[in-house]
Amino acid sequence: METSKATEESDVGILCYISQLPGFRGILKQRYADFIVNEVDTDGNVVHLTCLEPPPQMVEETKECAAKVSDEKTSESKSYEAEIGLFRSLAGDSDAEKLESLISQVDSCTGSEDSVPHIVLSPDSNKTHRTAVHNFFKQNFKFLVTDTTDGPDASSKCIRVRLDSGGHKNNGRNSKKRKERGEKPFDSRGSSNWPEHLGKFLRFHLYKENKDTQEALGIIGKMLGIQSKSFGFAGTKDKRAVSTQRVTVFKQQASRLAALNDRLIGIKVGDFCHVKEGLLLGKLLGNRFTVTLRGVIADSEDTIKAAADSLGRHGFINYFGLQRFGTGSVPTHLIGATLLRGEWKTAVSLILDPREGDILLLFPCLDVIRMAREYYKESNDIEGTLRQLPRHLVAERAVLQCLKKCPGDYLQAMKAIPRTLRMMYVHGYQSYLWNHAASERVQKYGFDQVVLGDLVYCKGDDSEKETVGVNSECNNDNCDDTYDCSHLDETSGTDLLERKNTLVKVVTVEDVSAGNYTVDDVVLPMPGSRVIFPTNEIAKVYHDLAKKDAINLTESVHSVKEFSITSMTGSYRRVFQKPLDFEWELLAYNDSNKPLAETDLDNISKTGSTNIIKQEEQGKGEDNDLSDCTKLPVISRNSIALSTDTNEGSEREVESEQVSGSNWQETQMALKLSLTLPASCYATMAIRELLKTSTSVTYHKTLNQ
């Protein structure tokens, strides 16, 4: 198995194009600001960041809430002097003072309980006495919980005291059971005095630059003192991009989040409102993309025009992009295949072993990761490896920590990886099969007609016997692993069926002759137990490819359901996708450091709606002045010529910029695209159809050199 090179498009079944038109050169994501993503919510609204401050009415409501909480705390507060006095006689002055300090902090706490520290009582080697202390807290301080930790020496133990997650009014004994039941998808800790007329969730718009969604929310959660799982969002957005999306958080005040904007780097929050329900993965229609391709070189402008016109009219093959299979040299579908075969040890090795291609593929900092992998391979020292591995390598660290506790239990080690991440491997294999099937469908039957045996989405009034319904299945790919979430790129992070309970049928002779369906209705299955396959030659692709990998799509060789394709429902995906609201324009520019498209933050800065926007240093290097580019109108059927500034003033400006270190060059051309795609569609696949070149990171890095 070759794992030392970067994954190419052909490796994962991305083989065909719709049009036979020539492509042209263009650099994808030369700068992260060249890729702008705005979520489209379930009502069809494009999500933008428009205001960083909470509405005045919301500020007043939260002030009233805080005042109410303060009044109730004052009226309900209890003096624990008597209890502390009894505890002093039981545990001594030192521990009594620690307890008194803890209670004082609890009473003054206005935020999350996570912000209240714990205390550790003096070492105690007397088990009977420790039991008496535990019981004392159970009887007198029901809002506190205790446990026992190791003391400074082998013969002693210490009692740790901390605030219970249920607060003053709940002894917290059922908190574990609530977690096990999975009662709520969010962290339910918050103010019990929340006003009844307000929705329990604060919804806001998250704007981020060059960060994935989990990373951004992790930073915000840490600053608020709440867990990342408190947040809900509809889809994971690409890391190397500028994106805006909706997020919800349970029982938080807008003013607290807005106050973070001064300290957040590459992240902003705004457009606050209260809602009754939190966001869940898949609760979106799609994404609006603004993509700028730099360094465009074509035989003629007619070549660009013809390619763009074809993309708008015919669309593109709806492949799963390379991001689906990871940015590392070990693609996710290879790991998925080992899991489907029940080869747990091999799967662990693929995750942990050195990957030579990774260093060539991305950035020099990955040398640290390579060294950590090699160290583990040579020494088998788990502790030493964990010290070297960066914390964002969630999968690797989870596997190693499990192997430390359960040496040799490779299945358990795979299960130790967070579910949303470990399921990505099997879903990657499903996507691998789907891509190959889609390529075969185009090669055999083209892209302009429905053929006998195709699968199609039924019309609304169709009730043929051949129909089969499959429930929506959420394959949550949101993660923070080796691939640093960039494999999710511009997709929603979910693979929802495009319609819930959609009926799918096999095309008959009558359907073909009557023209009941168009090629836009054609779908192919993501393999699972509740899908049907086409009855033409395309079905053979699935089974033949799986057979080469020693996998049977109808039988499982092991009983581990989550790694069994026969235990998965399966789904359907359109073979062809047309971009919606497609617009494009050519731009001339001289400085590769200048932005060619405006972000939401740029628009806020122009309106002057807030004075907290600051020039941020992290990876920015971008000037929001667009004056150096000559905007050409959206191309019509008329030929156009590039216009550039050639006057003396412009020349002097060039010299000035060169002195300041800006990257001025000969006049170059860029192509700016704006398009909307449904959730789980890859914008990179639309760009691939346009350029007729690979979308791999390595390829586009070579264009920058």
Side-chain angles (χ1 to χ4, degrees):
M1 181 181 298
E2 178 63 56
T3 59
S4 62
K5 68 179 183 68
T7 304
E8 299 294 338
E9 289 180 341
S10 58
D11 297 332
V12 293
I14 303 172
L15 305 172
C16 303
Y17 300 100
I18 286 182
S19 82
Q20 299 305 310
L21 293 169
F24 53 92
R25 181 189 188 270
I27 305 173
L28 175 63
K29 295 187 181 182
Q30 185 179 62
R31 321 192 81 247
Y32 64 76
D34 291 340
F35 204 92
I36 301 173
V37 188
N38 291 85
E39 190 169 86
V40 179
D41 68 20
T42 51
D43 294 323
N45 302 310
V46 179
V47 176
H48 286 283
L49 184 73
T50 62
C51 180
L52 300 179
E53 299 293 341
Q57 181 183 355
M58 185 177 286
V59 174
E60 289 303 315
E61 287 174 337
T62 53
K63 283 182 179 178
E64 291 174 9
C65 174
K68 181 182 176 183
V69 171
S70 177
D71 291 343
E72 293 190 5
K73 270 192 172 184
T74 302
S75 63
E76 292 180 2
S77 63
K78 173 186 174 181
S79 172
Y80 287 95
E81 289 184 12
E83 286 81 355
I84 291 173
L86 290 172
F87 183 70
R88 189 181 303 273
S89 63
L90 175 65
D93 291 341
S94 175
D95 287 343
E97 288 172 6
K98 291 180 183 177
L99 177 60
E100 192 171 15
S101 174
L102 177 63
I103 292 173
S104 175
Q105 291 181 68
V106 170
D107 285 339
S108 62
C109 175
T110 58
S112 165
E113 285 85 349
D114 288 345
S115 62
V116 179
H118 64 268
I119 60 170
V120 178
L121 303 181
S122 302
D124 189 348
S125 58
N126 188 328
K127 185 176 181 181
T128 303
H129 184 261
R130 292 199 305 269
T131 302
V133 173
H134 286 301
N135 289 334
F136 182 86
F137 277 96
K138 288 178 182 178
Q139 294 168 11
N140 297 281
F141 299 99
K142 295 186 182 296
F143 59 93
L144 299 175
V145 291
T146 59
D147 58 9
T148 304
T149 62
D150 290 333
D153 53 70
S155 63
S156 67
K157 300 285 186 181
C158 293
I159 292 177
R160 180 175 55 179
V161 185
R162 66 187 188 280
L163 182 63
D164 178 59
S165 60
H168 283 58
K169 296 184 178 181
N170 188 343
N171 63 17
R173 292 181 183 176
N174 294 323
S175 59
K176 185 176 181 181
K177 290 182 180 178
R178 286 198 299 272
K179 283 185 180 179
E180 291 171 351
R181 287 197 304 267
E183 185 179 303
K184 297 290 182 183
F186 51 84
D187 183 347
S188 61
R189 287 177 292 182
S191 171
S192 59
N193 304 96
W194 195 260
E196 292 183 5
H197 68 283
L198 286 184
K200 293 184 179 181
F201 293 87
L202 175 67
R203 191 178 75 195
F204 61 94
H205 292 177
L206 170 67
Y207 170 96
K208 60 183 182 62
E209 300 176 349
N210 205 30
K211 290 179 177 59
D212 61 64
T213 303
Q214 292 281 35
E215 179 186 1
L217 293 179
I219 292 169
I220 294 172
K222 187 173 182 180
M223 294 171 77
L224 290 175
I226 62 176
Q227 299 178 32
S228 295
K229 65 181 179 181
S230 303
F231 298 99
F233 53 91
T236 301
K237 308 306 176 196
D238 184 20
K239 173 176 180 174
R240 188 164 174 75
V242 174
S243 67
T244 307
Q245 66 187 110
R246 294 187 308 164
V247 177
T248 55
V249 61
F250 186 67
K251 287 186 178 179
Q252 288 293 323
Q253 297 177 6
S255 56
R256 289 194 71 205
L257 270 79
L260 302 180
N261 281 318
D262 274 325
R263 295 185 286 150
L264 289 167
I265 305 270
I267 303 170
K268 290 288 179 280
V269 292
D271 297 273
F272 304 99
C273 68
H274 288 292
V275 294
K276 293 181 179 179
E277 296 182 354
L279 280 171
L280 297 174
L281 282 164
K283 293 291 184 181
L284 76 168
L285 285 186
N287 296 290
R288 178 75 177 169
F289 300 95
T290 303
V291 181
T292 304
L293 300 172
R294 293 182 184 253
V296 170
I297 300 175
D299 294 338
S300 68
E301 290 169 15
D302 287 340
T303 298
I304 300 172
K305 177 185 179 301
D309 183 58
S310 175
L311 178 63
R313 285 189 296 111
H314 302 298
F316 57 97
I317 304 168
N318 195 23
Y319 288 123
F320 289 97
L322 281 176
Q323 304 90 337
R324 176 71 162 183
F325 305 95
T327 59
S329 56
V330 178
T332 58
H333 76 279
L334 289 184
I335 300 173
T338 63
L339 294 174
L340 293 172
R341 291 193 296 265
E343 298 171 359
W344 320 125
K345 185 175 182 179
T346 303
V348 167
S349 295
L350 286 174
I351 290 172
L352 295 180
D353 282 355
R355 306 172 182 182
E356 295 178 12
D358 283 356
I359 305 307
L360 302 174
L361 179 61
L362 291 175
F363 309 105
C365 63
L366 286 182
D367 194 49
V368 175
I369 301 173
R370 176 186 61 80
M371 289 166 51
R373 292 184 190 280
E374 289 181 350
Y375 175 79
Y376 178 70
K377 185 78 171 177
E378 295 168 1
S379 67
N380 206 35
D381 175 10
I382 293 178
E383 281 286 0
T385 306
L386 285 171
R387 283 194 294 270
Q388 297 181 47
L389 273 177
R391 292 201 171 274
H392 73 269
L393 299 186
V394 174
E396 286 85 345
R397 295 184 67 84
V399 166
L400 286 171
Q401 285 164 351
C402 183
L403 290 177
K404 178 183 173 183
K405 296 178 182 177
C406 311
D409 193 341
Y410 299 105
L411 171 58
Q412 199 59 40
M414 290 303 302
K415 285 186 173 183
I417 300 172
R419 178 175 170 78
T420 53
L421 170 53
R422 66 178 183 262
M423 292 310 298
M424 179 188 69
Y425 302 128
V426 175
H427 296 327
Y429 190 75
Q430 288 176 300
S431 306
Y432 165 79
L433 295 179
W434 191 97
N435 277 359
H436 279 283
S439 291
E440 186 74 5
R441 170 62 177 75
V442 174
Q443 289 169 347
K444 282 191 176 295
Y445 304 121
F447 65 91
D448 55 358
Q449 62 180 342
V450 177
V451 300
L452 187 67
D454 270 341
L455 294 181
V456 291
Y457 280 136
C458 293
K459 303 298 182 185
D461 57 353
D462 202 324
S463 57
E464 300 283 347
K465 288 183 179 178
E466 296 94 335
T467 60
V468 59
V470 175
N471 290 324
S472 175
E473 181 176 79
C474 178
N475 299 341
N476 171 11
D477 286 349
N478 105 62
C479 64
D480 185 10
D481 71 327
T482 307
Y483 308 100
D484 204 20
C485 284
S486 57
H487 64 283
L488 298 172
D489 196 50
E490 72 281 7
T491 67
S492 69
T494 60
D495 288 323
L496 295 176
L497 267 182
E498 294 167 60
R499 307 178 204 169
K500 286 190 175 182
N501 300 316
T502 299
L503 295 180
V504 171
K505 64 164 283 179
V506 178
V507 171
T508 64
V509 174
E510 292 77 13
D511 292 325
V512 174
S513 59
N516 291 335
Y517 299 95
T518 70
V519 74
D520 293 333
D521 299 312
V522 175
V523 298
L524 283 171
M526 293 280 283
S529 61
R530 293 177 58 189
V531 298
I532 58 174
F533 288 88
T535 57
N536 51 34
E537 295 182 49
I538 307 307
K540 192 170 183 291
V541 176
Y542 287 95
H543 297 289
D544 286 352
L545 269 178
K547 187 177 180 180
K548 284 183 181 179
D549 294 324
I551 293 169
N552 190 324
L553 297 181
T554 59
E555 296 178 9
S556 180
V557 296
H558 58 74
S559 58
V560 183
K561 288 187 176 181
E562 64 179 295
F563 298 142
S564 167
I565 209 162
T566 58
S567 297
M568 303 180 71
T569 302
S571 59
Y572 298 98
R573 180 179 176 89
R574 291 185 187 276
V575 178
F576 306 103
Q577 182 64 54
K578 291 178 182 176
L580 306 174
D581 302 320
F582 181 44
E583 300 173 344
W584 55 284
E585 59 189 9
L586 284 170
L587 303 171
Y589 67 98
N590 299 101
D591 187 349
S592 62
N593 283 336
K594 296 281 186 177
L596 301 180
E598 290 184 335
T599 67
D600 288 349
L601 201 56
D602 294 333
N603 290 327
I604 289 179
S605 299
K606 284 198 305 182
T607 61
S609 62
T610 178
N611 62 1
I612 68 169
I613 306 298
K614 295 182 174 66
Q615 183 67 31
E616 293 166 351
E617 297 178 357
Q618 180 175 331
K620 190 83 174 174
E622 296 178 66
D623 192 328
N624 292 331
D625 179 12
L626 303 180
S627 60
D628 75 304
C629 68
T630 302
K631 180 177 179 180
L632 303 177
V634 175
I635 292 187
S636 64
R637 294 186 179 276
N638 300 321
S639 177
I640 56 174
L642 280 172
S643 61
T644 59
D645 292 326
T646 56
N647 58 48
E648 293 179 5
S650 293
E651 290 174 2
R652 284 194 297 270
E653 185 179 351
V654 170
E655 291 173 4
S656 173
E657 288 290 336
Q658 285 175 330
V659 170
S660 65
S662 190
N663 188 20
W664 276 82
Q665 306 160 337
E666 295 288 329
T667 297
Q668 296 190 71
M669 186 162 59
L671 176 62
K672 186 165 79 171
L673 310 166
S674 297
L675 64 157
T676 300
L677 295 176
S680 87
C681 292
Y682 287 73
T684 48
M685 292 297 98
I687 294 164
R688 174 183 178 272
E689 177 69 31
L690 195 69
L691 299 180
K692 299 296 190 299
T693 56
S694 172
T695 58
S696 73
V697 176
T698 46
Y699 174 75
H700 283 271
K701 283 188 74 176
T702 63
L703 299 183
N704 280 318
Q705 296 171 356

